[in-house]
Amino acid sequence: MCPVKPMFNRRFRDIFLILTEFCPNRCVYCYIRNRERRETMPMEYIDKLIASFAFEQPRIIFFGGEPLVELELMEKVLAKYWNTCRFQMVTSATVNYERFIEEIYPAYPIPEIQLSWDGTGNTNRPRLNGEDIQDEVFKKIIWTLDHKVAIDVKCVINDDNVANLLNTYLGFKALQGEYPGLVHGDFVVAHQKEFRSGFSSKLGLGLRSALYTIGEDLARKTTPYIPRDWMNKIIAVMVKDNNISSCDAGNYVVMRPNGDLYPCTIFSQLDYGRYKVGNICENGINNEVFDVIKRKCSHDDCQRCPVDCLCDGGCRYERYIQQGEHFDDYYCPHQCETIQVFYHEISAWINHLTLEEKTMLAGYLQKYQRWALNYSLPRSDGK
């Protein structure tokens, strides 16, 4: 076995461990390609990656596929590194979830459990047999909150549920009111090649209505519910900084079950290793890949774009599947349209606020930024 030494020429905060790529669900926008494969990540690979990490207390993110398929492996990692690492889990809550909450969570209370739920009235998330899981997952959300376990709930927006954006937002808002301090709902736009005609207008309408609700709360001097992704975008628009809300590829390390290392969860699913950093069982890391993947878009339109505070060309993967090897020379048109919706709706909303409401908003955003800073740094207790 080769000696353990730091492999990376930069510091990272997060390690995404794809414990397995197997998943019993078939979410329509999922980019994991080997969801039938039952390959499991060896514990030896995990030990070596953590030992070679330059950051003293990285955040270990259990990812997949469905990470709870490998519940025993997850428990081993938690037991071994609980006092030296922070942890997060991303799950559909459809496999081994109750067992995790009842048997493992009491000993290892992961502070960041993210459940995926896309609201009601859509068919985004079926099982392999076609059965919809949305109602089941929502029941798991309520069950978890009734057990006083804090969770984040992530809604992926695509063609099938964009028209229901406001209702999903209001549902998250109601949950936060009923379970204060235990739940936060957030949104992300799906990674895909294109959206159907009308997606952007529906996104704009839902966002405008949700922002109006937030404005009403500010006017009433009540605490608003603002999804974190929207807070990042609001801050970016206000301070004109595209380092806040743009693509984060290259800011973390991903390991697949076979030990291959990548700078992005989605790029880890390419059929060949052009953007592979290396393998945990081999000597040598191609650190140049991190620089390539982080390059900002060089297209003239991007250089002159008035909404570049929310974007630097868009998702690298989406640009790659459209433009190939020269993805850094061109932007992603459909994502550009989506970003413009966010920019114009947020800008118009901010301009509509009174000075007092803007002051209140700034206070909430500052509080969020303090939370985000703590999120990005290791805690003294390692948890």
Side-chain angles (χ1 to χ4, degrees):
M1 188 175 180
C2 60
V4 172
K5 58 183 179 181
M7 296 184 293
F8 308 103
N9 63 2
R10 65 205 69 205
R11 302 182 77 191
F12 297 104
R13 179 187 69 193
D14 297 334
I15 301 174
F16 280 77
L17 296 180
I18 301 180
L19 299 182
T20 179
E21 291 171 336
F22 176 81
C23 183
N25 305 318
R26 291 297 179 268
C27 304
V28 297
Y29 44 70
C30 182
Y31 50 78
I32 301 297
R33 297 189 175 186
N34 300 303
R35 287 177 282 180
E36 299 84 8
R37 184 184 298 174
R38 291 300 297 261
E39 183 179 8
T40 302
M41 182 179 291
M43 184 69 185
E44 176 189 357
Y45 293 1
I46 299 171
D47 289 337
K48 187 174 180 184
L49 180 59
I50 293 176
S52 65
F53 222 64
F55 209 120
E56 293 179 359
Q57 294 179 315
R59 176 180 287 102
I60 306 299
I61 301 172
F62 296 123
F63 203 70
E66 174 49 66
L68 284 174
V69 168
E70 299 296 337
L71 187 62
E72 287 75 18
L73 175 59
M74 185 184 299
E75 186 174 16
K76 287 181 182 178
V77 177
L78 287 167
K80 187 167 186 177
Y81 295 105
W82 182 249
N83 291 318
T84 55
C85 295
R86 299 176 71 175
F87 290 93
Q88 180 180 350
M89 176 178 67
V90 180
T91 177
S92 67
T94 59
V95 179
N96 292 329
Y97 183 72
E98 293 95 333
R99 184 181 165 196
F100 168 78
I101 294 296
E102 294 177 338
E103 299 178 14
I104 297 178
Y105 180 83
Y108 307 107
I110 295 178
E112 300 166 40
I113 301 174
Q114 179 183 304
L115 274 63
S116 302
W117 181 71
D118 292 349
T120 58
N122 66 84
T123 57
N124 281 346
R125 304 176 63 76
R127 294 187 190 279
L128 183 59
N129 64 6
E131 177 186 337
D132 185 73
I133 66 172
Q134 302 286 25
D135 290 344
E136 175 189 351
V137 174
F138 186 75
K139 291 177 181 177
K140 297 286 181 64
I141 291 171
I142 300 302
W143 179 85
T144 307
L145 296 174
D146 285 340
H147 280 68
K148 308 300 182 185
V149 175
I151 54 174
D152 291 335
V153 183
K154 182 67 68 71
C155 174
V156 180
I157 297 296
N158 73 344
D159 289 306
D160 289 339
N161 66 351
V162 64
N164 206 34
L165 174 59
L166 175 61
N167 288 335
T168 304
Y169 167 84
L170 294 175
F172 284 153
K173 187 174 188 289
L175 281 177
Q176 290 206 163
E178 186 174 355
Y179 299 94
L182 286 178
V183 60
H184 184 88
D186 208 353
F187 296 90
V188 63
V189 176
H191 291 285
Q192 57 190 64
K193 291 183 179 180
E194 60 184 358
F195 294 103
R196 292 195 293 266
S197 175
F199 175 83
S200 293
S201 60
K202 293 175 183 177
L203 175 65
L205 178 61
L207 180 61
R208 189 181 316 134
S209 301
L211 290 171
Y212 177 81
T213 301
I214 295 170
E216 286 186 319
D217 286 336
L218 291 172
R220 288 193 295 261
K221 297 182 173 58
T222 57
T223 303
Y225 152 55
I226 311 176
R228 290 177 186 140
D229 178 70
W230 297 1
M231 281 196 276
N232 285 330
K233 287 180 168 59
I234 292 170
I235 294 170
V237 169
M238 293 176 74
V239 302
K240 300 295 185 289
D241 185 347
N242 68 4
N243 292 311
I244 297 174
S245 185
S246 58
C247 179
D248 63 351
N251 292 335
Y252 53 85
V253 179
V254 181
M255 184 161 71
R256 292 184 63 189
N258 64 358
D260 284 346
L261 302 169
Y262 287 85
C264 169
T265 55
I266 314 183
F267 269 96
S268 74
Q269 300 302 302
L270 292 179
D271 291 331
Y272 64 97
R274 170 67 180 85
Y275 294 99
K276 186 173 80 172
V277 177
N279 186 283
I280 196 66
C281 298
E282 301 170 357
N283 287 318
I285 289 295
N286 183 8
N287 283 286
E288 182 183 353
V289 171
F290 292 102
D291 297 321
V292 171
I293 212 76
K294 286 182 68 64
R295 282 205 296 256
K296 296 183 182 296
C297 181
S298 60
H299 194 280
D300 288 344
D301 288 350
C302 279
Q303 303 303 312
R304 300 189 300 265
C305 182
V307 305
D308 67 342
C309 58
L310 291 182
C311 177
D312 52 11
C315 170
R316 274 50 173 176
Y317 176 80
E318 292 181 28
R319 284 155 54 192
Y320 174 82
I321 59 178
Q322 291 197 15
Q323 305 298 329
E325 293 296 320
H326 302 289
F327 69 89
D328 56 332
D329 296 329
Y330 203 74
Y331 56 89
C332 187
H334 79 271
Q335 194 173 40
C336 181
E337 185 176 348
T338 299
I339 290 295
Q340 289 188 48
V341 169
F342 277 104
Y343 179 85
H344 292 303
E345 293 297 340
I346 289 173
S347 297
W349 174 71
I350 292 173
N351 291 334
H352 181 73
L353 297 176
T354 67
L355 179 59
E356 184 179 16
E357 291 165 354
K358 289 178 182 177
T359 301
M360 288 182 62
L361 174 64
Y364 290 118
L365 296 178
Q366 288 171 357
K367 182 178 179 181
Y368 165 70
Q369 287 183 304
R370 288 193 294 270
W371 173 88
L373 178 62
N374 179 65
Y375 178 88
S376 67
L377 296 174
R379 296 180 182 173
S380 58
D381 62 2
K383 302 179 182 64

